[in-house]
Each structure stands twice: as structure tokens, then as C-alpha cells.
């Protein structure tokens, strides 16, 4: 892809997510991928957060810092963590098919929040800029057969909230209020503004 955005420094995406990679590529930005080795479960166990948004920011910051230890030269690290929240309860990735069905039944016919915490870490200066983006997503009513079919596709099993809006899960989304790319995993409008704020994007 031809680069369309001029940058003042190299970019590292601290994620192996194919969805985040595709979104960043859609901006015409050149970058490299270095997956964070942060143990999210262990990281969460040592912290207590009053709000889900605080957790999303903490996880994104932890991922950026984890990758920064390996990259001391002039780069900006982009890290993100997306969580699904229903009635103030975090819906994680399903542990098995039964868990996936339980999550989808909870979401069926209701509105939930998708929160992505984003951290931009400029190295070697250590300048950090973090922010959350929230999108409200309303699901249509899902029958038991809908849920069985969707789980049978395998798509829900590696996704927070047990669905992917960019895939077959989008068939069950009635409406969204806010950023679509945020629901996919990386809010591009806010990310672009953040890169400009750090002086990374030039015209």
C-alpha cells in the first residue's frame, strides 16, 4: 500500500491482532508488529479498578510498556485493549462453547458498551498519551438456534463479548452509537488525533 500519511518517526503496533493490523493498514501508515507478552490475567489480578474504562487503559498501557523494553530507539508504540461491558460487568473472551452461549444470551436484544483503551508511547523519551473510546452497541434478539449456529462457525471463541462485528457477528448487530472501528478493536479517528497530538503526523 502506498503511504498516504507522513510520519516523523517509526510506528510499532503492539498487537498480533489481524483486525488491528488491517485497520492500521487502512490508514496508509507504515508500521511493524511486535506482539506484547503481557500476561493480562496476571496484570489484572494485581490491580483493582473502579471503572471498566480504567482497566482498558491500564491493559493498553501495560502492553505498550512491555514492548518498549525491547525498543529503545526512536519509535511510537501503539497499544490497545478492547473490552465488552454489559451492566457494568466485563464480558471477556469465552472459555468454551457453553460460556459463549451464556454471553450471547446476555447480550441478546440489549445495548452494551465496547470500550477500547489506547496507549501511544513515544520512545526513548517515554512520553505517553492514553485515552478511552466507548461505543454503544445494540444487538437484535437472538434465538437459541441463532446462537447455536453462530457458535458453530467458531467465530465467537477468540473475541471479547463472543462476537465479531466485522464478521458474521455483524448479522446480529441492530445498531451502533459511536465509532465502528472502535468495536473492531482500534478507533481510527481518535488514534489519528492522538498521533497528531504527539507530533507524529505531519502534512
Amino acid at each position: 500500500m502506498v503511504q498516504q500519511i507522513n510520519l516523523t518517526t517509526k510506528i510499532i503496533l503492539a498487537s498480533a491482532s489481524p483486525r488491528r493490523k488491517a485497520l492500521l493498514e487502512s490508514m496508509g501508515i507504515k508500521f511493524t508488529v511486535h506482539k506484547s507478552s503481557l500476561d493480562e490475567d496476571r496484570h489484572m489480578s494485581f490491580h483493582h479498578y473502579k471503572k471498566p474504562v480504567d482497566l482498558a487503559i491500564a491493559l493498553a498501557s501495560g502492553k505498550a510498556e512491555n514492548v518498549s523494553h525491547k525498543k529503545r530507539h526512536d519509535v511510537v508504540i501503539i497499544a490497545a485493549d478492547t473490552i465488552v461491558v454489559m451492566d457494568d460487568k466485563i464480558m471477556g473472551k469465552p472459555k468454551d462453547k457453553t460460556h459463549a452461549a451464556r454471553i450471547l444470551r446476555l447480550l441478546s436484544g440489549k445495548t452494551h458498551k465496547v470500550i477500547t483503551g489506547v496507549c501511544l508511547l513515544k520512545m526513548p523519551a517515554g512520553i505517553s498519551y492514553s485515552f478511552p473510546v466507548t461505543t454503544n452497541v445494540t444487538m437484535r434478539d437472538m434465538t437459541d438456534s441463532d446462537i447455536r449456529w453462530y457458535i458453530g462457525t467458531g467465530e465467537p471463541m477468540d473475541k471479547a463479548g463472543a462476537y465479531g462485528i466485522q464478521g458474521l457477528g455483524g448479522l446480529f448487530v441492530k445498531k451502533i452509537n459511536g465509532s465502528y472501528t472502535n468495536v473492531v478493536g482500534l478507533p481510527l479517528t481518535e488514534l489519528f488525533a492522538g498521533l497528531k497530538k504527539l507530533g507524529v503526523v505531519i502534512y
Side-chain angles (χ1 to χ4, degrees):
M1 178 180 288
V2 177
Q3 184 180 14
Q4 298 177 16
I5 297 177
N6 294 317
L7 306 173
T8 60
T9 186
K10 294 181 179 179
I11 298 290
I12 290 176
L13 176 63
S15 173
S17 164
R19 295 172 293 278
R20 291 193 178 111
K21 183 174 180 289
L23 285 171
L24 199 53
E25 286 175 340
S26 73
M27 293 176 67
I29 287 179
K30 292 182 179 179
F31 63 96
T32 55
V33 172
H34 295 278
K35 181 181 178 181
S36 167
S37 58
L38 180 75
D39 184 336
E40 294 184 30
D41 291 335
R42 182 174 182 275
H43 187 81
M44 290 170 63
S45 68
F46 285 95
H47 295 78
H48 299 282
Y49 303 98
K50 294 182 179 179
K51 299 178 181 178
V53 67
D54 297 330
L55 173 60
I57 288 292
L59 288 172
S61 298
K63 291 178 181 179
E65 290 170 6
N66 178 267
V67 170
S68 73
H69 295 315
K70 308 168 189 176
K71 302 294 172 184
R72 294 293 183 182
H73 52 280
D74 189 24
V75 298
V76 167
I77 299 166
I78 299 174
D81 193 88
T82 301
I83 60 176
V84 173
V85 180
M86 180 72 191
D87 295 330
D88 293 325
K89 183 179 180 181
I90 296 174
M91 305 282 107
K93 296 178 181 179
K95 300 175 182 177
D96 51 36
K97 292 182 179 180
T98 300
H99 187 206
R102 187 160 63 248
I103 293 173
L104 290 170
R105 289 191 186 100
L106 286 172
L107 300 182
S108 175
K110 299 176 183 176
T111 299
H112 62 273
K113 296 181 184 297
V114 178
I115 303 170
T116 299
V118 179
C119 179
L120 306 179
L121 182 57
K122 194 171 186 178
M123 298 297 293
I127 299 171
S128 178
Y129 175 56
S130 300
F131 56 90
V133 178
T134 299
T135 302
N136 292 323
V137 180
T138 302
M139 307 294 281
R140 73 169 178 82
D141 290 325
M142 300 175 68
T143 65
D144 287 343
S145 60
D146 287 334
I147 291 172
R148 283 195 299 270
W149 170 78
Y150 185 45
I151 292 174
T153 68
E155 185 178 274
M157 303 314 296
D158 67 338
K159 294 175 178 62
Y163 76 96
I165 194 172
Q166 75 287 348
L168 294 171
L171 299 174
F172 302 106
V173 174
K174 185 175 181 179
K175 66 177 180 179
I176 68 170
N177 183 8
S179 167
Y180 169 81
T181 58
N182 179 57
V183 183
V184 180
L186 194 63
L188 295 187
T189 299
E190 294 82 0
L191 173 62
F192 182 60
L195 292 173
K196 287 178 64 180
K197 183 180 180 72
L198 286 179
V200 177
V201 172
I202 56 174
Y203 293 122

